[in-house]
């Protein structure tokens, strides 16, 4: 079984990710996130949000509608060839493929037969507003979150009293009718984006568009590295002009080395004034910015960073997945025995602390363990587990990435101390219960 299949199995077994509609045999490339998966996603989103709106200067948030006027997608280029893939179909087995993903452009990779001529396939997901399903009532599920930011550019600038350079951040759902979704949660038809649009003066000689582009490229690389991605598994790939998105003056794909190859997890784009100029033209609204310092009016340039929540999550899971041949302790060591550990960054862990009573047939120990659990769960992500031997429970917690296990035993009843076990080192130390909040805060900071 290859690494990605092992991760898929672990994620289902431990409650990270389930196939959507599984009791009805699933629904193509859609997934549900279980109790641990949703916690990890929330951690990723919060870390990104804090990075953008708290650690960076002059960035505020917004939450725009998934359904918007179809005129927006006309102006943005999504309803033209700007947002379409080239689709080919096998003349024999009738499987469909994206042309740019084929190494042999004329032959079916499955059966070797000839392919049809490529046709443009728009990725927009169509729906209807109101009771009548006709052309006049067509709407679209947004394929990206950024357009809602652009059409609210002046609303935010004026209401929040923002001065260029400034940014607007958003996290939200997006939808694309992908021809060939796959690689687990890497390419989905329904996914979440974390996007920041940073508005700049293109004529600023002190900090040019290229300066801002390099700044944001490095900031985004650092974010992934700080959360546990090894530098050698991350790269910034410059996209040549002929392969760039239709709006991009410059484009870099931040790629991660997945088990299935180097793939994009984030994009950094210099979008120029493409978006605001087009929305200004199609809406007949003046989206120029008036700079009070220089007394000039201009359409700002935009430096965009766009990262997928699910793609980042998959990269973090791949990076963290670790197998220990022969087990981690003398009691479990065996040539055949393999123990799994998710060596997640402590800020990403869905469970930070597990509370484990040593035995479940001693009421005093159970009561004390539950008391500690209830006191800690308000501040930390905690789990309580009393099923099975304590060794097996340690292994379960290692598999889901839990940083610390607190074991309540017979000595706890005598002197109000417990043992705290570190996931990575397996080192155990005895500490006083009254010192727990301070010690855990320091360790998890």
């Amino acid at each position: 079984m290859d690494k990605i299949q092992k991760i898929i199995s672990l994620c289902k077994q431990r409650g990270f990710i389930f196939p959507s509609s599984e009791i009805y045999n699933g629904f193509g490339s859609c997934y549900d996130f279980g109790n641990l998966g949703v916690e990890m996603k929330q951690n990723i989103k919060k870390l990104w949000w804090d990075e953008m709106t708290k650690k960076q200067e002059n960035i505020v948030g917004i939450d725009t509608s998934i359904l918007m006027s179809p005129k927006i997608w006309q102006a943005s280029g999504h309803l033209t060839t700007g947002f379409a893939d080239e689709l080919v179909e096998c003349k024999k087995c009738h499987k469909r493929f994206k042309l740019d993903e084929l190494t042999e452009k004329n032959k079916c990779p499955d059966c070797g037969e000839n392919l049809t001529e490529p046709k443009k396939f728009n990725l927009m997901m169509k729906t209807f507003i109101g009771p009548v399903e006709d052309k006049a009532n067509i709407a679209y599920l947004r394929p990206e979150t950024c357009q809602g930011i652009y059409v609210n550019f002046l609303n935010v600038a004026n209401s929040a009293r923002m001065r260029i350079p400034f940014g607007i951040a958003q996290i939200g759902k997006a939808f694309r009718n992908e021809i060939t979704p796959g690689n687990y949660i890497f390419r989905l038809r329904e996914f979440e984006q974390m996007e920041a649009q940073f508005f700049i003066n293109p004529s600023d000689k002190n900090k040019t568009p290229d300066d801002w582009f390099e700044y944001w490229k490095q900031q985004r690389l650092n974010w992934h590295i700080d959360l546990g991605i090894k530098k050698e598994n991350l790269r910034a790939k410059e996209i040549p002009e002929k392969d760039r998105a239709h709006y991009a003056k410059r484009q870099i794909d931040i790629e991660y080395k997945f088990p299935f190859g180097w793939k994009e997890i984030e994009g950094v784009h210099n979008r120029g004034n493409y978006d605001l100029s087009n929305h200004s033209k199609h809406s007949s609204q003046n989206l120029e910015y008036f700079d009070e310092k220089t007394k000039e009016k201009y359409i700002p340039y935009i430096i965009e960073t766009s990262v997928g929540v699910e793609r980042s999550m998959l990269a973090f899971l791949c990076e963290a997945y670790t197998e220990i041949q022969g087990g981690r302790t003398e009691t479990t060591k065996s040539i055949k025995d393999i123990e799994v550990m998710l060596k997640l960054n402590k800020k990403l862990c869905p469970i930070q602390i597990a509370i484990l009573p040593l035995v479940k047939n001693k009421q005093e120990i159970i009561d004390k363990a539950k008391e500690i659990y209830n006191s800690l769960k308000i501040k930390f992500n905690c789990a309580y587990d009393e099923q099975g031997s304590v060794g097996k429970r340690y292994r379960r917690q290692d598999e889901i990435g839990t940083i610390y296990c607190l074991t309540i035993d017979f000595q706890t009843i005598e002197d109000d101390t417990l043992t705290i076990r570190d996931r990575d080192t397996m080192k155990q130390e005895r500490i006083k219960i009254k010192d727990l909040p301070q010690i855990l805060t320091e360790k998890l900071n």
Side-chain angles (χ1 to χ4, degrees):
M1 187 185 295
D2 63 22
K3 184 176 181 179
I4 197 68
Q5 290 302 318
K6 292 175 181 178
I7 290 172
I8 292 170
S9 177
L10 176 68
C11 284
K12 184 180 179 186
Q13 180 186 7
R14 294 302 184 202
F16 281 88
I17 304 167
F18 308 126
S20 180
S21 313
E22 185 177 19
I23 64 172
Y24 292 99
N25 298 316
F27 192 69
S29 291
C30 295
Y31 288 89
D32 301 330
F33 291 82
N35 58 305
L36 296 183
V38 75
E39 291 291 345
M40 186 171 173
K41 280 185 76 176
Q42 290 294 339
N43 290 341
I44 292 169
K45 289 187 282 188
K46 186 179 188 306
L47 288 163
W48 182 88
W49 191 259
D50 287 349
E51 172 71 23
M52 289 299 176
T53 64
K54 294 180 181 178
K55 295 181 182 179
Q56 299 289 339
E57 290 186 16
N58 220 24
I59 298 181
V60 295
I62 198 172
D63 184 9
T64 64
S65 176
I66 287 173
L67 294 173
M68 297 187 288
S69 168
K71 294 178 182 178
I72 288 174
W73 307 115
Q74 190 68 45
S76 67
H78 283 81
L79 294 181
T80 62
T81 56
F83 195 69
D85 283 336
E86 287 191 293
L87 169 70
V88 292
E89 183 175 324
C90 176
K91 293 181 178 180
K92 181 180 180 182
C93 69
H94 301 291
K95 287 188 178 179
R96 294 173 179 176
F97 308 93
K98 287 172 65 174
L99 184 64
D100 62 1
E101 291 182 346
L102 296 175
T103 52
E104 171 55 65
K105 303 300 183 184
N106 300 313
K107 299 293 183 181
C108 175
D110 287 357
C111 70
E113 289 297 318
N114 292 330
L115 299 170
T116 62
E117 288 297 312
K119 295 180 180 178
K120 289 287 185 179
F121 176 79
N122 193 282
L123 304 179
M124 296 282 284
M125 280 197 178
K126 189 183 298 184
T127 187
F128 297 90
I129 300 298
V132 181
E133 295 187 5
D134 61 17
K135 190 174 181 180
N137 294 310
I138 288 176
Y140 300 91
L141 302 181
R142 67 183 180 193
E144 61 187 23
T145 60
C146 59
Q147 297 302 325
I149 294 177
Y150 303 145
V151 298
N152 279 288
F153 161 66
L154 286 184
N155 282 337
V156 174
N158 294 332
S159 64
R161 301 178 62 80
M162 306 298 288
R163 297 290 175 259
I164 282 180
F166 75 89
I168 304 175
Q170 178 168 210
I171 300 174
K173 290 272 191 179
F175 306 82
R176 295 183 184 179
N177 194 15
E178 295 281 1
I179 300 167
T180 55
N183 286 327
Y184 197 30
I185 60 170
F186 176 80
R187 191 184 301 280
L188 301 170
R189 292 189 171 105
E190 174 188 347
F191 54 95
E192 282 189 281
Q193 287 182 308
M194 304 181 292
E195 294 195 317
Q197 311 299 321
F198 200 76
F199 302 90
I200 61 173
N201 181 349
S203 302
D204 189 343
K205 298 295 189 288
N206 295 318
K207 204 155 189 179
T208 67
D210 280 341
D211 293 333
W212 279 116
F213 188 95
E214 290 299 325
Y215 171 81
W216 280 112
K217 179 187 79 172
Q218 197 56 55
Q219 290 294 302
R220 299 308 305 144
L221 285 167
N222 291 346
W223 186 80
H224 293 282
I225 292 167
D226 290 345
L227 290 175
I229 302 294
K230 296 184 183 71
K231 287 183 180 180
E232 60 265 30
N233 290 336
L234 206 61
R235 70 183 185 188
K237 181 181 177 182
E238 185 86 35
I239 305 302
E241 184 176 359
K242 65 182 179 65
D243 296 327
R244 289 178 202 153
H246 63 279
Y247 50 76
K249 287 182 171 292
R250 188 180 174 194
Q251 176 179 344
I252 277 179
D253 289 351
I254 295 177
E255 295 185 333
Y256 175 74
K257 191 177 182 181
F258 288 100
F260 44 83
W262 286 97
K263 298 290 182 181
E264 178 195 358
I265 56 174
E266 177 159 6
V268 182
H269 311 112
N270 177 353
R271 299 182 73 118
N273 62 13
Y274 173 88
D275 301 279
L276 292 181
S277 293
N278 274 293
H279 285 305
S280 186
K281 175 184 175 182
H282 282 77
S283 68
S284 299
Q285 300 293 316
N286 186 359
L287 297 182
E288 285 183 312
Y289 173 83
F290 177 67
D291 194 315
E292 292 183 350
K293 286 185 178 179
T294 63
K295 305 302 179 186
E296 62 177 324
K297 283 186 175 182
Y298 57 85
I299 299 286
Y301 270 29
I302 296 167
I303 306 298
E304 173 187 60
T305 65
S306 177
V307 55
V309 176
E310 292 84 1
R311 289 188 179 188
S312 289
M313 181 176 177
L314 184 57
F316 292 132
L317 287 170
C318 289
E319 192 75 13
Y321 183 87
T322 306
E323 290 184 343
I324 300 95
Q325 186 74 40
R328 304 184 72 195
T329 64
E330 290 301 322
T331 56
T332 60
K333 281 195 181 297
S334 158
I335 294 175
K336 297 180 181 178
D337 195 13
I338 295 176
E339 289 188 22
V340 171
M341 176 172 62
L342 273 187
K343 204 169 182 180
L344 289 166
N345 181 283
K346 60 187 177 182
K347 295 177 182 176
L348 293 170
C349 293
I351 302 296
Q352 299 169 304
I353 303 157
I355 292 86
L356 315 176
L358 184 65
V359 294
K360 64 177 181 178
N361 56 3
K362 182 74 171 175
Q363 195 59 44
E364 285 180 285
I365 290 178
I366 294 295
D367 290 345
K368 179 58 74 171
K370 288 184 176 178
E371 178 188 324
I372 293 168
Y373 169 68
N374 288 325
S375 70
L376 294 177
K377 69 178 183 179
I378 303 301
K379 186 172 183 181
F380 306 101
N381 282 356
C382 296
Y384 176 89
D385 188 1
E386 62 180 40
Q387 300 299 317
S389 70
V390 73
K392 288 182 178 179
R393 283 180 276 165
Y394 283 153
R395 291 181 68 176
R396 280 202 296 266
Q397 296 302 325
D398 288 347
E399 282 186 356
I400 65 174
T402 304
I403 293 284
Y404 298 112
C405 288
L406 309 181
T407 304
I408 292 80
D409 55 21
F410 292 98
Q411 187 178 336
T412 305
I413 307 305
E414 297 174 5
D415 61 9
D416 255 11
T417 65
L418 52 73
T419 60
I420 180 169
R421 173 190 181 268
D422 184 284
R423 178 197 67 197
D424 298 337
T425 65
M426 293 193 300
K427 180 183 176 183
Q428 298 191 38
E429 56 180 313
R430 196 97 197 167
I431 62 172
K432 293 184 179 297
I433 292 173
K434 67 180 179 64
D435 297 332
L436 257 180
Q438 180 182 346
I439 289 172
L440 290 172
T441 299
E442 289 173 357
K443 285 180 177 292
L444 291 168
N445 250 344

